[in-house]
Amino acid sequence: MVANTDLIIPESTSAVNIHIINSTTRIKGIPTTVFMEPEITGHSIIDCPAFSFLIEHPSTDVKLLFDLGVRKDWENLPARMTDRIKEGRWSVTVEKGVADILKDGGVNLDSINAIIWSHFHWDHTGDPSTFPHSTDLVVGPGFKDALLPGYPANQDSPIRESDYAGRTLREISFDSGLQIGGYRALDYFDDGSFYLLDSPGHAVGHMCALARTSTSPSTFIFLGGDCAHHCGQFRPSASLPLPSTLSPSPLPHLHPTTCPGSLFIPIHRLYDPANRAHATDTPTSDPFYLVSAQGAEDVTEARASIKKLSNFDGREDVLVMIAHDEHMLEIVRCFPEGKANGWKEAGWKEKGMWRFLADLEPAVAEREEPYREYSYNNSSDIRDDIPTNITRKGKPAINILKYPRDINCIYAELLALAPELWSGKRSVYEPGSRSEKMLEIDLMIHIGMHPDDEDFFLETRARRERYELPGDDGKYLNRDALKGLPERLGVGFDIEHVAANVRRALPVDTSVKTSNDAGLYFCELISYLSLSILDGKNEFGRVVFLHVPKLKTAETIERGVKVAVALITACVDSLPGDYKH
């Protein structure tokens, strides 16, 4: 994170307690383009929760609620809203209203002093009539002029008269001159513990909030409401750029532990495929999405409000919680399990920061072509057909684990992947495995396709320099990543001897040769990285790269599998005794 010296939050010795409430709301079926643009492949429908927040001011015992999610009996929303839900065929489910959630959690509703609506939309307003009349309803600037009277007195109103009937309706004024992070602000308790922030654009009277969750040092939770509907609308940013390596991986099916950030650059709205070789860093410091015109009362104001939000998001002491962040639901502790004040110690920000990228997995997967020049890569087919166990008469069986996915032509990914392959973690090869027993890796066979039609090649060496071509993301190899490593590394085996044993195990018409030029691209680089890992530990170079011919026929695949099995067997027979686990 890049420190934002322009964002100054007033000091205070007061903090509030905050509880995150899962309102049990589930909304599914709204097109993403209603709120954001452009549409990214595979992420076309909203499927999200709606958070509510309980704020407690310890010194006065005042309790507030910020948003309520959807009312349980959503069919009783104003007709204008129910018609829209039904016409759009959106799925809306609510298991329990916030009032019932609080009562079940031991909170007396008479203790709730006020409900603050971030704005008037149906998925935030809940049902205030389920709270005592002593509970005020607090709304943002312009609310009364724009929205009163409510339904049914005004058939076109998006709110109900019963929402505010019999209770104090307070409209906030931001005319004190206080500003925080570019937002007009109101110090709600006059002690710096809780601020309301004027965040116009999405809807009339939209407000965010900033809750101080600790002092000495201060930490905060930023309640974003619908300032953004998806974290991709404010991440990455100049103050929170896309990392080169994402950990934990937001794409566990493709990358079980860590994930290269560069995978997401080609699907970014600012990526220019015609200028890949000279691509700028803009996709790593600008959000994936913009607010769409459909999703805002004033799109210019809405985008400005999000820009301000991103400055808070770039601070290590601020956790941003927007109302519909599906992925934070998997991380945070919700009421009544405990307060959210310890979010920083629990690592919620780091755990959840890039999880939204999981929504973009279909676009990443679609883009991951298995080979630059061809529409296929038969090395994948050969890998898939290699048996997981090779039995040998009078000798121990050979157990084989296969890395389950194709590797992109992206340098950052390869640099991150090589250590994972040698980490000994079973989950790298068997995604979802919970086994903590480390693997003993005796031999690594890399397989790649080359342009020839007939010959199989066993590569004898790999080089550090002269990787001149860009990857599929337009990025070149970061040469500093290999700084200090040997100029070239050879395999540990007597490769000519291994090749001879392979040929003896195969039909005479199978051509198996050795080569000292793996192509100075990704095939050679993965071989070099594997060899350098072993060289750094002074271990035997038990790595072989097998280049297979490009023909994709059933016969070629079958022959490739036989060559791979013969190669594995010959290499195992040539291993020093220490590596025969």
Side-chain angles (χ1 to χ4, degrees), residues 236-237 240-246 261-262 264-265 283-285 288 354 357:
S237 66
L240 189 63
L242 183 68
S244 57
T245 301
L246 297 163
S262 58
F264 299 92
I265 292 175
T284 67
S285 57
F288 285 89
W354 301 107
L357 293 171

Side-chain angles (χ1 to χ4, degrees), residues 442-456:
D442 301 309
L443 171 68
M444 185 83 70
I445 303 292
H446 297 295
I447 306 176
M449 190 174 78
H450 70 83
D452 290 352
D453 291 340
E454 295 292 339
D455 298 327
F456 292 82

Side-chain angles (χ1 to χ4, degrees), residues 356-508:
F356 75 91
L357 293 171
D359 297 332
L360 311 185
E361 181 173 339
V364 171
E366 179 184 75
R367 232 204 124 266
E368 290 185 333
E369 295 182 4
Y371 202 72
R372 285 173 62 87
E373 292 86 1
Y374 301 96
S375 61
Y376 64 88
N377 184 352
N378 60 10
S379 63
S380 301
D381 299 316
I382 291 169
R383 172 205 60 198
D384 293 343
D385 288 352
I386 292 173
T388 56
N389 185 277
I390 300 173
T391 56
R392 303 181 298 161
K393 190 173 182 179
K395 295 182 179 180
I398 301 170
N399 297 315
I400 299 172
L401 288 172
K402 296 179 278 189
Y403 185 63
R405 59 173 299 274
D406 298 332
I407 299 172
N408 301 321
C409 292
I410 295 176
Y411 288 112
E413 174 180 344
L414 214 60
L415 291 169
L417 174 63
E420 287 292 318
L421 294 177
W422 286 97
S423 68
K425 298 175 183 175
R426 185 172 291 273
S427 60
V428 173
Y429 297 92
E430 297 177 352
S433 173
R434 296 183 178 180
S435 174
E436 296 182 0
K437 184 178 180 181
M438 301 300 285
L439 299 170
E440 298 283 0
I441 301 175
D442 301 309
L443 171 68
M444 185 83 70
I445 303 292
H446 297 295
I447 306 176
M449 190 174 78
H450 70 83
D452 290 352
D453 291 340
E454 295 292 339
D455 298 327
F456 292 82
F457 290 98
L458 309 183
E459 303 296 343
T460 64
R461 68 173 187 175
R463 293 160 285 186
R464 182 190 65 198
E465 302 293 340
R466 295 170 54 202
Y467 294 91
E468 305 295 342
L469 293 174
D472 277 355
D473 59 350
K475 302 274 186 176
Y476 292 85
L477 175 64
N478 176 9
R479 300 185 188 282
D480 289 342
L482 306 181
K483 190 175 181 179
L485 297 179
E487 183 177 346
R488 63 176 56 86
L489 290 166
V491 301
F493 299 101
D494 179 344
I495 205 69
E496 294 292 348
H497 176 72
V498 168
N501 287 339
V502 172
R503 285 190 286 267
R504 274 193 288 270
L506 297 169
V508 293

Side-chain angles (χ1 to χ4, degrees), residues 127 132 195 309 311 459:
D127 186 359
Y195 299 95
L309 181 155
N311 292 330
E459 303 296 343

Side-chain angles (χ1 to χ4, degrees), residues 184-197:
R184 294 196 301 162
L186 173 74
D187 187 345
Y188 195 91
F189 293 111
D190 292 322
D191 62 0
S193 63
F194 185 73
Y195 299 95
L196 293 179
L197 306 175

Side-chain angles (χ1 to χ4, degrees), residues 63 99 102-113 131-132 135:
K63 292 183 176 66
L102 290 172
K103 286 188 289 187
D104 290 348
V107 175
N108 185 339
L109 297 187
D110 289 327
S111 70
I112 305 298
N113 298 81
F131 290 83
T135 302

Side-chain angles (χ1 to χ4, degrees), residues 175-377:
D175 56 5
S176 68
L178 177 64
Q179 287 204 4
I180 301 177
Y183 293 113
R184 294 196 301 162
L186 173 74
D187 187 345
Y188 195 91
F189 293 111
D190 292 322
D191 62 0
S193 63
F194 185 73
Y195 299 95
L196 293 179
L197 306 175
D198 184 20
S199 47
H202 173 62
V204 169
H206 189 284
M207 298 186 293
C208 297
L210 184 66
R212 192 184 303 266
T213 50
S214 69
T215 60
S216 300
S218 289
T219 58
F220 304 87
I221 295 182
F222 186 104
L223 309 182
D226 274 358
C227 189
H229 287 79
H230 189 269
C231 292
Q233 291 178 292
F234 55 91
R235 294 180 191 144
S237 66
S239 55
L240 189 63
L242 183 68
S244 57
T245 301
L246 297 163
S247 179
S249 171
L251 307 180
H253 298 103
L254 300 178
H255 300 267
T257 52
T258 62
C259 174
S262 58
L263 285 181
F264 299 92
I265 292 175
I267 64 172
H268 194 283
R269 60 187 172 83
L270 297 178
Y271 178 68
D272 181 5
N275 195 28
R276 291 192 309 169
H278 303 286
T280 69
D281 290 332
T282 301
T284 67
S285 57
D286 272 73
F288 285 89
Y289 292 108
L290 295 174
V291 174
S292 65
Q294 292 184 72
E297 184 91 13
D298 183 324
V299 69
T300 302
E301 288 271 31
R303 291 178 180 179
S305 288
I306 288 183
K307 179 70 174 176
K308 296 169 190 174
L309 181 155
S310 72
N311 292 330
F312 285 86
D313 189 49
R315 291 179 53 135
E316 293 183 352
D317 57 354
V318 178
L319 173 67
V320 171
M321 289 289 299
I322 56 174
H324 303 299
D325 189 348
E326 157 70 11
H327 301 287
M328 286 305 288
L329 191 58
E330 305 165 3
I331 293 169
V332 301
R333 187 172 56 206
C334 289
F335 178 88
E337 292 181 10
K339 297 181 295 186
N341 292 56
W343 66 265
K344 189 168 177 60
E345 294 78 7
W348 290 357
K349 186 179 181 84
E350 291 74 19
K351 292 174 184 176
M353 190 183 303
W354 301 107
R355 281 209 179 191
F356 75 91
L357 293 171
D359 297 332
L360 311 185
E361 181 173 339
V364 171
E366 179 184 75
R367 232 204 124 266
E368 290 185 333
E369 295 182 4
Y371 202 72
R372 285 173 62 87
E373 292 86 1
Y374 301 96
S375 61
Y376 64 88
N377 184 352

